[in-house]
Amino acid sequence: MDGSKSETLALVPPAALGRLMPMFLWVSVTGHVREAGPTLLKLCEGRPLLGCGFLDVFEITRPRPVASVTELEMLAGRRLHLRLRDAPDTAFRGLAVPLATGQGVIVNLSLGIGLAAAVSQHELTDADFAATDLAVELLYLQEAKSAVMEELHGMNLRLAHARTAAEEKARTDPLTGLANRRELDAALARAAAGAGNGGAPFALVHIDLDFFKAVNDSLGHAAGDEVLMRVSQILREETRKSDVVARVGGDEFVLILRSTTDPDGVQALSRRAIDRMEEPIQFEDQFCRISASVGVTVSSLYAAPDPDQMLLDADLALYASKRRGRACCTVFTPGMEVPEDRRAPG
């Protein structure tokens, strides 16, 4: 660079140079900052910059540390990695261009990959960048990407919620909101496997409503639905969260009880539920009257509880309750005989 060109560059008004390079530094031969671009001054707001030693404010980390303007000039044309020595230690990329002898060095900086963080931290706007600087476009692209990623995240959450709702619906009886047969089978398999491996015991309770068919025949299915919902409410209130309450047929319910597993306790729970179910249930201006028969078996009766066998045994105990006159609870005992007729009319 000849002297006339260097002198012309040095005489360019700082404001004009700042519009072209908002993050430039003019470093004198003594190593002091003579001028700085407006964006750089904004980034260093609150700390002295003009008149300060360049290397007191900035640390050059790559391609190697420097200790003087002479060493800085030796890195002319090479990409520099710099950072502010004091917090916030904002990182920069830079390029140094020596001026004529005695005029020092021009260092032009950019924010590099730390653009987004610096924009947020220092509240920069597009006015803080040169009109030809691609940083603003890159920032817009990043913001667009963030918006897209946020929308995708929201969509994934909605899909996950929809999937959870669909799975819940597949496991739930649509009328009563209780577990359905599919969910019961899965829960019973888990309970049986756990008890067979030395885990917590459980009781299996099979409930069939008495006189439910008469309600449907005389008052219609809407009345029957009202009865089923009332029965579901009673069973929820008589059990605990650790128990499973399922509707497995039109008027059949199955409970997996962990909170009460001894036969006497299960019979007491069943008696309370039966007594509540026998209370008249109002439907419009009519009263529905039902009862319930209950069969029970407990996992402790089996060396290795088998879900199918337990369901069969609870069903046999239920049938025994029907044969005894309904509205009662029977606990299965080993050796209970299978009757010739499978079920008395409901």
Side-chain angles (χ1 to χ4, degrees):
M1 180 180 294
D2 61 39
S4 61
K5 291 183 179 179
S6 300
E7 184 177 1
T8 300
L9 177 62
L11 293 176
V12 172
L17 193 59
R19 285 195 295 271
L20 292 172
M21 298 184 297
M23 296 178 63
F24 85 93
L25 289 160
W26 181 4
V27 182
S28 70
V29 292
T30 61
H32 295 84
V33 178
R34 295 183 61 178
E35 298 288 352
T39 300
L40 197 56
L41 291 172
K42 184 175 182 178
L43 290 170
C44 295
E45 186 176 6
R47 76 184 73 191
L49 183 58
L50 299 181
C52 292
F54 169 71
L55 295 175
D56 293 332
V57 178
F58 296 90
E59 177 186 11
I60 297 177
T61 58
R62 292 175 59 185
R64 64 175 181 271
V66 301
S68 67
V69 174
T70 302
E71 292 183 19
L72 177 62
E73 291 177 342
M74 294 174 61
L75 297 178
R78 301 183 64 179
R79 180 179 296 179
L80 306 179
H81 290 234
L82 310 84
R83 67 178 181 84
L84 291 171
R85 291 186 179 275
D86 297 330
D89 53 349
T90 305
F92 301 93
R93 301 293 183 268
L95 189 69
V97 178
L99 301 175
T101 303
Q103 291 188 353
V105 179
I106 290 290
V107 181
N108 193 28
L109 302 181
S110 70
L111 292 166
I113 61 174
L115 172 65
V119 166
S120 174
Q121 187 174 39
H122 299 284
E123 299 182 352
L124 302 180
T125 68
D126 57 353
D128 294 309
F129 297 90
T132 56
D133 195 339
L134 293 178
V136 176
E137 282 76 7
L138 292 174
L139 186 60
Y140 289 153
L141 287 175
Q142 184 176 40
E143 290 177 349
K145 177 185 175 183
S146 298
V148 171
M149 294 302 294
E150 184 176 353
E151 180 60 29
L152 287 175
H153 178 66
M155 184 180 297
N156 287 335
L157 286 178
R158 291 192 293 272
L159 288 173
H161 291 158
R163 183 168 58 250
T164 300
E167 292 173 353
E168 182 69 21
K169 184 177 180 180
R171 300 193 302 265
T172 304
D173 175 61
L175 175 64
T176 63
L178 300 178
N180 59 14
R181 183 58 185 255
R182 177 182 178 184
E183 177 63 12
L184 172 74
D185 289 342
L188 182 55
R190 292 193 298 268
N197 290 322
F202 65 96
L204 186 67
V205 181
H206 191 176
I207 302 170
D208 186 85
L209 302 185
D210 301 323
F211 316 116
F212 180 74
K213 185 175 182 298
V215 172
N216 270 342
D217 291 345
S218 61
L219 300 178
H221 289 286
D225 289 349
E226 185 70 24
V227 168
L228 292 173
M229 293 175 66
R230 174 57 182 161
V231 169
S232 301
Q233 179 184 359
I234 292 170
L235 294 178
R236 283 194 183 97
E237 292 173 353
E238 293 296 336
T239 55
R240 297 183 181 178
K241 290 184 178 181
S242 59
D243 301 327
V244 176
V245 183
R247 180 189 176 205
V248 298
D251 62 344
E252 292 184 66
F253 299 82
V254 174
L255 315 181
I256 300 175
L257 301 181
R258 296 186 179 278
S259 56
T260 304
T261 58
D262 67 283
D264 290 341
V266 177
Q267 284 186 312
L269 183 152
S270 300
R271 185 69 261 167
R272 290 195 304 271
I274 292 171
D275 289 344
R276 294 182 63 184
M277 292 177 196
E278 289 183 327
E279 296 174 359
I281 301 172
Q282 185 170 3
F283 174 73
E284 296 179 348
D285 58 349
Q286 303 285 331
F287 286 94
C288 309
R289 296 183 179 275
I290 63 162
S291 184
S293 297
V294 181
V296 176
T297 189
V298 293
S299 61
S300 57
L301 294 176
Y302 309 85
D306 175 78
D308 292 336
Q309 186 61 53
M310 291 188 69
L311 284 170
L312 176 62
D313 293 344
D315 187 66
L316 293 177
L318 170 62
Y319 178 82
S321 293
K322 292 282 189 180
R323 299 287 290 180
R324 289 168 54 196
R326 302 183 177 91
C328 62
C329 173
T330 301
V331 178
F332 172 80
T333 56
M336 184 176 286
E337 295 183 0
V338 180
E340 293 182 4
D341 53 334
R342 290 298 304 151
R343 180 63 56 86

